[in-house]
Amino acid sequence: MFKKVLSILLFIIAVSSVAILSACAETAGNVYTYVIDEAYTEYVVMGTSADYPPYEWPLEVEGKTTIVGLDIEIAKYIAAALGKNLKVVNKGFDFLIEDLEAGKVDFVMAGMTPTEERALRVDFSPVYYESIQVVLVRDADVAAYASAASLNVASAKVGAQLGAIQQELAEATFPLAQRQYIQQVPDLVVRLIDGQLDAVIMEKAVADGYVANHAELGIAPFLIGDPEGGSAVAVQKGDADLLATVNAVIAQLIADGTISTIVAAAIALNESTAE
Ligand code: ARG
């Protein structure tokens, strides 16, 4: 309990010392409102899929569920730069590009990898946080799954998030395995723990968090996918004004070290508040 309170405090201090923004959050259904400044009258709307700690996940703060994570903290700076408050719409990851194209949201931040295929439909900022892909397994199996080949067999059950690059990675890397694609990452992890899956592909930061919070999990000792990957902000195709603001905010937050602080705080928060 003390550790939890301390980490939340550290998180708040870390974030508010780099930010003007002690946004108070409110919820209606799957929409979460963050007041950046009482004086702002408009909202910028972000789409996300809050199933991916430390990028974004639901957390009960003072009796209310809100969405926290590094993407939310960065989005607050984007909103502030626009002179707007922030609304976050929480959806399945596989809906996010569609919602952006349809104009239901103004931008998407969801630990999203800027792939060529997606770039045909939306415009991306530069990468704001780099990441590599790892394979989460049960800790007892780490030695047995020493190579990608060891999981590319008919008896192995490999899971990935529906519509994520990990789905394509599963197809490409483990074509001989049984593959399962599920919308929510925590559901994949539950299946891994109870033996319905043997491996789940995800970003390293996410896997590290699950390993820190679950002694029965481990990371297989090989990498897959693009070692140069990372997350970028997506805006509607041709939304040059918004993209210019997003890019300026990201360049600034990278240059002054704020993103590193935000990432460290989000990781600490995730590791201190796990059930
Ligand atoms: N980086 C991967 C992708 O873009 C996975 C992102 C999953 N994000 C999430 N919020 N569940 O496909």
Side-chain angles (χ1 to χ4, degrees):
M1 181 61 192
F2 177 70
K3 194 178 151 208
K4 178 171 168 177
V5 171
L6 185 70
S7 294
I8 292 178
L9 268 177
L10 284 175
F11 177 76
I12 291 167
I13 291 164
V15 168
S16 57
S17 66
V18 293
I20 16 198
L21 333 159
S22 64
C24 78
E26 238 170 72
T27 320
N30 66 333
V31 181
Y32 298 77
T33 302
Y34 303 79
V35 176
I36 306 299
D37 189 321
E38 300 280 353
Y40 297 162
T41 52
E42 288 177 69
Y43 286 90
V44 65
V45 184
M46 161 176 155
T48 198
S49 170
D51 66 341
Y52 217 50
Y55 295 86
E56 49 267 323
W57 75 101
L59 185 68
E60 205 176 295
V61 178
E62 287 165 3
K64 277 195 220 153
T65 302
T66 185
I67 296 175
V68 296
L70 68 97
D71 284 342
I72 304 291
E73 294 309 315
I74 295 169
K76 289 179 187 172
Y77 282 92
I78 295 171
L82 295 164
K84 295 182 180 179
N85 292 316
L86 175 67
K87 258 186 196 147
V88 173
V89 180
N90 183 25
K91 286 269 191 94
F93 187 78
D94 52 324
F95 284 104
L96 298 180
I97 299 265
E98 213 168 289
D99 277 9
L100 183 55
E101 286 184 308
K104 291 185 187 167
V105 298
D106 299 312
F107 66 99
V108 166
M109 288 186 79
M112 184 176 274
T113 308
T115 63
E116 274 172 35
E117 204 184 332
R118 289 173 180 157
L120 298 173
R121 299 172 62 183
V122 301
D123 288 339
F124 282 107
S125 73
V127 164
Y128 57 83
Y129 180 51
E130 285 170 13
S131 61
I132 52 177
Q133 306 300 320
V134 300
V135 179
L136 186 68
V137 297
R138 287 175 295 276
D139 195 47
D141 293 340
V142 167
Y145 298 137
S147 66
S150 63
L151 274 164
N152 188 25
V153 291
S155 58
K157 294 179 278 295
V158 179
Q161 184 169 37
L162 190 69
I165 60 160
Q166 288 81 3
Q167 177 174 350
E168 290 159 29
L169 275 174
E171 303 283 330
T173 318
F174 307 112
L176 302 179
Q178 304 166 49
R179 282 155 278 125
Q180 262 188 47
Y181 307 124
I182 296 176
Q183 195 183 46
Q184 296 286 314
V185 172
D187 293 340
L188 288 162
V189 175
V190 167
R191 285 174 196 228
L192 175 61
I193 290 172
D194 70 21
Q196 297 175 63
L197 286 172
D198 299 311
V200 180
I201 307 168
M202 61 181 69
E203 250 91 12
K204 182 173 183 295
V206 181
D208 284 345
Y210 281 114
V211 169
N213 291 337
H214 300 274
E216 65 271 53
L217 296 175
I219 294 176
F222 61 89
L223 299 177
I224 61 174
D226 176 9
E228 314 258 281
S231 309
V233 182
V235 302
Q236 274 190 309
K237 261 259 156 273
D239 194 350
D241 285 352
L242 178 56
L243 190 60
T245 304
V246 166
N247 289 355
V249 169
I250 283 173
Q252 174 68 33
L253 297 183
I254 291 174
D256 68 12
T258 302
I259 291 209
S260 309
T261 310
I262 286 175
V263 168
I267 289 172
L269 182 66
N270 177 39
E271 292 184 6
S272 64
T273 53
E275 282 108 59

